[in-house]
Amino acid sequence: MEQATMERLLLTTLLLPLLSVDSATSNLEGQSLLFPRESATDYVLLTPQQQKPLHNFTLCMKAFSDLPRGYSLFSYATRSHSNALLLHVNRPGEFSLSIGDSEIVFRTTQSWLGAFHVCVSWESSTGIATLWVDGRPQGRKGVSKGYVLEGEASIILGQDQDSFGGGFNAKQSLVGEVWDVHLWDRIIPMKRTGPSLQNGNLLDWHSLTFQSFGDVVIKPKLWL
Ligand SMILES: *[C@@H]1O[C@H](CO)[C@@H](O)[C@H](O)[C@H]1NC(C)=O
């Protein structure tokens, strides 16, 4: 083993609990993150491109799962609110959105069992959240008017955080896959034909800084 490799290995082993030396930035275009089994240990930690208070946001992602139970799609925790922003599937066709630990539920008319494209936007000044699935609006509801997502963010795919960076429950884990995850700090206008194909300025699938833990597999995506 080369000295440099040896040193890096030593450094990694010694400092891993202290530093995020393993997080890397990749272009995941055309790739999907697979969570192949139910667990409380498999997840991906995302690092946003900027840390800033969030007054408004738009989150878009694509996912596949045929779980009959509920699961977390996107879990954004702060030190004060473990569900600062949580997008959750309660059962096929029913989405719940939590902002600042308050929850609203969107019941759609389809089961969305299989692959789907979901976008949700929210603005603090009115508290209005809008959900779109496969390019179709699913309604607008009010939640946590005036709240601001503030402080360090822990953003996790594959698990639901019940505490900052942890508190996972296997029965809320995602078994399936996610891809094309984008997060913006503003409301992105949507057309009936679907969201415009821009890159998120806080999370960008084409330049994503992340660390994976446990059994997470990257594979070419199966669906558009
Ligand atoms: C959030 O959006 C509202 C309008 O929807 C806008 O007035 C406000 O300036 C935005 N806040 C930030 C911090 O971008």
Side-chain angles (χ1 to χ4, degrees):
M1 197 180 302
E2 283 177 36
Q3 174 116 23
T5 315
M6 188 69 173
E7 273 169 10
R8 186 170 184 280
L9 226 150
L10 261 171
L11 208 73
T12 309
T13 318
L14 293 174
L15 297 182
L16 199 58
L18 302 173
L19 298 174
S20 299
V21 288
D22 264 349
S23 107
T25 303
S26 309
N27 180 353
L28 291 180
E29 177 161 18
Q31 305 290 316
S32 178
L33 289 174
L34 268 84
F35 300 90
R37 59 173 189 186
E38 182 170 285
S39 82
T41 50
D42 305 341
Y43 65 100
V44 172
L45 177 66
L46 306 179
T47 305
Q49 299 193 338
Q50 335 164 25
Q51 292 272 4
K52 58 185 287 192
L54 266 189
H55 296 254
N56 307 312
F57 71 80
T58 302
L59 165 70
C60 286
M61 60 192 297
K62 296 175 186 169
F64 167 85
S65 178
D66 59 4
L67 283 170
R69 61 161 171 81
Y71 57 92
S72 172
L73 274 175
F74 186 91
S75 171
Y76 178 128
T78 61
R79 301 242 176 228
S80 52
H81 295 99
S82 52
N83 294 340
L85 160 50
L86 172 68
L87 183 60
H88 188 272
V89 174
N90 296 343
R91 57 175 161 272
E94 187 176 305
F95 294 83
S96 81
L97 174 70
S98 298
I99 307 279
D101 290 342
S102 297
E103 183 186 1
I104 48 173
V105 175
F106 290 90
R107 292 175 194 88
T108 72
T109 52
Q110 286 192 38
S111 75
W112 310 109
L113 197 66
F116 56 89
H117 184 186
V118 59
C119 288
V120 61
S121 65
W122 176 78
E123 71 178 7
S124 175
S125 60
T126 59
I128 296 298
T130 311
L131 181 82
W132 297 67
V133 185
D134 286 351
R136 296 213 295 274
Q138 304 295 328
R140 288 188 277 214
K141 299 198 174 190
V143 62
S144 293
K145 182 173 175 169
Y147 173 75
V148 179
L149 288 84
E150 275 178 303
E152 195 188 342
S154 169
I155 306 177
I156 283 178
L157 301 175
Q159 299 287 341
D160 175 26
Q161 299 174 81
D162 284 338
S163 62
F164 187 82
F168 305 145
N169 173 351
K171 288 294 169 205
Q172 288 179 294
S173 68
L174 168 67
V175 183
E177 49 190 286
V178 293
W179 65 102
D180 291 353
V181 181
H182 291 276
L183 179 68
W184 295 261
D185 61 358
R186 60 184 188 276
I187 312 272
I188 301 294
M190 311 255 171
K191 302 189 193 94
R192 271 196 89 81
T193 50
S196 35
L197 300 165
Q198 303 174 44
N199 295 332
N201 68 327
L202 296 182
L203 294 174
D204 176 358
W205 198 248
H206 301 111
S207 175
L208 194 71
T209 306
F210 69 98
Q211 274 177 278
S212 51
F213 297 85
D215 192 6
V216 181
V217 181
I218 299 179
K219 285 279 184 198
K221 64 185 188 181
L222 273 184
W223 295 272
L224 288 176

